[in-house]
Amino acid sequence: NTPEPEAFLLAQRLTDAVRQAAARESGDIGVSCSQGLGAIDSKRSATDLLARVDRAMYKSKRDGKGKISRVKLRSVSGSGV
């Protein structure tokens, strides 16, 4: 039950922590973290949410290292990520 702006900041902190920890431990090896971020919608199943967040994560991976992509909530006539 974390509001989306706070969840995004937490995801950013996690991304930074992964990069910093990897730099301390490995020296030359670059490690990054790509994430998908979404919110549960009472009209959709958890399975649907996980599928949409998974697609958002792969969008982050395509967009470059250390990215966070948000799932867009769908309207009745629209579609999200």
Side-chain angles (χ1 to χ4, degrees):
N1 281 338
T2 303
E4 192 272 341
E6 291 175 29
F8 188 78
L9 289 174
L10 181 61
Q12 286 179 316
R13 288 178 47 205
L14 178 61
T15 298
D16 292 341
V18 166
R19 185 179 59 249
Q20 291 171 4
R24 279 193 306 271
E25 295 296 321
S26 64
D28 294 348
I29 299 173
V31 176
S32 66
C33 176
S34 298
Q35 301 177 63
L37 180 67
I40 192 76
D41 180 344
S42 63
K43 297 177 184 166
R44 289 175 181 75
S45 69
T47 301
D48 180 54
L49 173 65
L50 289 175
R52 293 169 63 214
V53 169
D54 190 55
R55 286 192 301 270
M57 185 219 29
Y58 279 102
K59 179 186 181 314
S60 293
K61 291 174 90 52
R62 286 189 307 272
D63 289 349
K65 296 178 180 181
K67 301 291 182 184
I68 303 164
S69 295
R70 298 174 180 150
V71 170
K72 295 177 184 168
L73 296 178
R74 289 186 267 189
S75 64
V76 174
S77 62
S79 65
V81 169

